[in-house]
Amino acid sequence: MRTHRWTTLGGVAAMLLTTIAPLTLLTTSAAATSTGATAAPPATSAACPRDAKDTGPATCLLRAGTGGGDQPLPRVTAGRGPLTAGDLQEAYRLPADWLGGGQSVAVVTPYDNPAAGDELAEYRKANGMPPCDADFPCFKKINQRGGDTPPAPSPAWAVHSSVGLQLAAAACPNCKLLLVQADDPSLDSMAAAVDQAAAQGATAVVPMWGVAEYDGQNALAAHFDHAPTTVVAPSGQGFNNGGRQILPAAYPSVIAVGGTQLYRDSATTRGWNESVWRDTASGCSMYGTRPAWQPAGACGSRRTVADVAAVGSADTPVQVYSTSLGGWGTAAGTPVAAAFIAGVYGLAGTDSSTPAGRRLYASAQYLNDITAGSNGACGGGKICTAARGYDGPSGMGTPNGTGAF
């Protein structure tokens, strides 16, 4: 397997944004100014099917915005704006040029996205990544049984696969990417797809949606425990979520990923400013037990969400390419953060039977400790307020290289 060295494009020419309103998405756009500190990214809203029957028990956590059409959105070099792959690698100090060869990251979504490969190719080209071709066959799509026959298509759910693949590639351009398409958005189908991804040898697996906790959920817990494969999942949206966290993030074997707000800030030593996103999730699992390596805190013997975090804020979204968005647009939400963290696990390529959670909690020196921001009212407690060391919204922090993964 050859490993590619690649360089992110330095920038993209500024352009006026146009509004595109796909019928199957609840998305919006906002006019942008020229590239600079005051430029604002397109507004995002829920990237979910309009018809509740298409969602079923699933919780749609992804937000998306239209605006770029066939050209990448203007890159903001100061302040806040759509973040490129190069921005993310710089902010999280990822040695993406050289690592990740031979590793694979699996993205799990419901229904088929017929354009997933072409969308990934567009994103890779715009970000200076090597193409997935005969020399570097880095993309494959299967169903939850491992076959080539796809499930029914869904333009709305297709955005989830676009974002998942592209954010995993942003963290690990040299990783192979596997899209496992579940039959539907149920937890049972997700479990089957995660099993399939692990059977295919994925280094990390990320389902791009969730299901609220319920009595009897532990019957499926084993499907999300595949060490040394690391299963990563979005933490959800909002503090405490009515007392029920989101599965599979609430399972003790899964790495639950929260969302942060991230933007350039020359006044900081890091060159970036990062804080807890006000809409990220945290709280105590209703049924999941606390793994031994997680501090008890406010949840006592129960599992606390989250474990780690990365950018997910709608105020500092990432740039993505999706035909369901009419081309280039933006994405936000904890699935963005989870897909990126799955890519970081692929980049690290750790071949260890030690649970990923144990490694993560023992490696604070390789994480950015997030100490600002809150996602709710909890009297200043760590369950919803960023603090030194572990806290609910950002977990142990955000990547500072690959040492914790």
Side-chain angles (χ1 to χ4, degrees), residues 187-295:
L187 189 64
D188 292 87
S189 290
M190 182 198 294
V194 169
D195 286 343
Q196 185 59 234
Q200 296 280 334
T203 306
V205 184
V206 56
M208 292 292 288
W209 79 104
V211 175
E213 286 191 287
Y214 63 94
D215 187 17
Q217 66 187 37
N218 291 332
L220 291 175
H223 296 276
F224 299 92
D225 187 358
H226 289 285
T229 295
T230 301
V231 181
V232 179
S235 64
Q237 184 168 311
F239 171 55
N240 210 30
N241 194 40
R244 296 174 186 267
Q245 301 307 307
I246 296 296
L247 298 171
Y251 285 130
S253 62
V254 174
I255 301 298
V257 185
T260 64
Q261 177 173 277
L262 174 73
Y263 59 92
R264 289 186 182 275
D265 186 351
S266 59
T268 67
T269 302
R270 180 183 170 192
W272 294 84
N273 189 306
E274 193 166 21
S275 59
V276 163
W277 178 35
R278 63 182 178 275
D279 290 333
T280 194
S282 66
C284 304
S285 170
M286 182 170 285
Y287 302 103
T289 57
R290 176 177 60 87
W293 54 85
Q294 185 179 61

Side-chain angles (χ1 to χ4, degrees), residues 108-206:
V108 174
T109 57
Y111 301 119
D112 181 36
N113 177 1
D118 292 338
E119 294 167 344
L120 177 62
E122 190 72 22
Y123 182 85
R124 294 180 73 93
K125 179 180 178 181
N127 285 278
M129 301 179 191
C132 293
D133 56 19
D135 291 330
F136 184 42
C138 60
F139 173 68
K140 182 180 179 181
K141 184 172 74 169
I142 59 175
N143 60 36
Q144 67 183 50
R145 286 162 287 279
D148 297 329
T149 303
S154 169
W157 282 109
V159 183
H160 292 68
S161 56
S162 309
V163 171
L165 292 167
Q166 291 164 32
L167 266 293
C172 188
N174 294 319
C175 282
K176 293 182 178 179
L177 298 169
L178 175 67
L179 177 59
V180 186
Q181 300 184 137
D183 291 349
D184 54 56
S186 69
L187 189 64
D188 292 87
S189 290
M190 182 198 294
V194 169
D195 286 343
Q196 185 59 234
Q200 296 280 334
T203 306
V205 184
V206 56

